[in-house]
Amino acid sequence: MYGSLSGRVIAIPSPIVSGVFGVWGQRCDEKQLPDLRLSREFWIGCLSGLIDTDGCVRERVNPRGTAHGSVEFATVSPVLAMQVSDTLLRLGVANRVRVVERKRNDGHLVNGYVITSRRPINIVEISRATALVRLAGILNLRIGYKALKLKGLARTVGHVAPAKSEMHGYDESVALDRVKGVSASAVRRVFGVTVNPSSLFVVNGLVVGAMLEPGPVAP
């Protein structure tokens, strides 16, 4: 695993880091990252280590000859998969999480032994061209062939511009995050706002949706 010390990214043995943050000895399907406020450099180092060990970089060409690819991280821990996805979002890297269910009778040979896993695999996938380019500029991979492949993939898809429209767009200065939950704090009288034509407006720098119930429309 990689960490940050005085602004420098350094390699730290995983058992040491795992012991310090209390994640050593966790079951494979219960592994999770520490719920602590750590530096941006730490999380970049953590993601780099996870991709180095349990990730892959894929480059493909579709039947029309268009090159595309993806970076994927696989784990049997659903909590770890969501944590990796959330960390990527906070770094401005769009991604999706998909679950691959495996049949109980599926297995493969390792050194002559049949290995069977009954746990679903949670895969965090980065496939958008702009996200791949951003990821390549963030990660510090130590596995040589993965680092070279990601750098080459970023060059291949680097010409693709972010998708934009009147109702949907991307901005490099915007970092995404996931809403963990919503809970009621008090009962108070509130006022709704309805605007035309988009039903969207900006509050404290965030784009929010207007109420959809019929009522007086602001001029």
Side-chain angles (χ1 to χ4, degrees):
M1 184 175 287
Y2 312 128
S4 174
L5 182 63
S6 301
R8 296 182 295 115
V9 177
I10 59 174
I12 305 173
S14 291
I16 295 177
V17 176
S18 300
V20 170
F21 295 114
V23 297
W24 183 257
Q26 292 178 343
R27 286 168 45 104
C28 61
D29 58 333
E30 297 178 352
K31 288 188 181 297
Q32 56 185 291
L33 301 172
D35 187 16
L36 300 171
R37 296 180 63 88
L38 300 169
S39 69
R40 181 177 186 273
E41 290 75 17
F42 178 91
W43 291 114
I44 290 175
C46 182
L47 289 174
S48 299
L50 291 172
I51 299 298
D52 269 338
T53 53
D54 293 318
C56 64
V57 182
R58 304 179 186 275
E59 186 172 356
R60 297 179 290 273
V61 178
N62 64 23
R64 293 185 296 179
T66 304
H68 61 100
S70 64
V71 174
E72 299 176 5
F73 168 72
T75 176
V76 295
S77 169
V79 175
L80 179 58
M82 295 307 298
Q83 288 179 318
V84 169
S85 176
D86 290 348
T87 302
L88 287 168
L89 286 175
R90 285 192 290 271
L91 293 171
V93 178
N95 64 87
R96 71 186 184 104
V97 179
R98 55 188 175 89
V99 180
V100 177
E101 298 285 350
R102 293 186 286 184
K103 297 179 181 178
R104 289 180 177 269
N105 57 355
D106 287 347
H108 59 279
L109 289 175
V110 176
N111 296 328
Y113 295 93
V114 178
I115 306 299
T116 304
S117 177
R118 299 180 178 86
R119 297 185 177 92
I121 301 179
N122 303 272
I123 300 176
V124 182
E125 179 182 353
I126 303 99
S127 56
R128 286 181 179 172
T130 49
L132 288 170
V133 172
R134 187 175 182 87
L135 186 67
I138 291 175
L139 294 185
N140 180 30
L141 299 181
R142 299 299 182 90
I143 303 300
Y145 75 92
K146 289 185 181 181
L148 291 175
K149 204 167 186 179
L150 178 56
K151 192 173 297 184
L153 181 59
R155 286 196 300 267
T156 300
V157 302
H159 66 282
V160 179
K164 292 183 178 179
S165 70
E166 292 182 358
M167 296 296 294
H168 186 67
Y170 301 95
D171 189 329
E172 293 184 356
S173 64
V174 176
L176 306 176
D177 206 343
R178 193 184 308 277
V179 176
K180 293 292 186 179
V182 179
S183 59
S185 59
V187 178
R188 296 181 181 177
R189 185 179 182 184
V190 296
F191 299 90
V193 177
T194 301
V195 295
N196 282 327
S198 67
S199 299
L200 300 175
F201 57 97
V202 178
V203 178
N204 295 332
L206 299 176
V207 178
V208 298
M211 60 179 294
L212 299 179
E213 296 181 2
V217 177

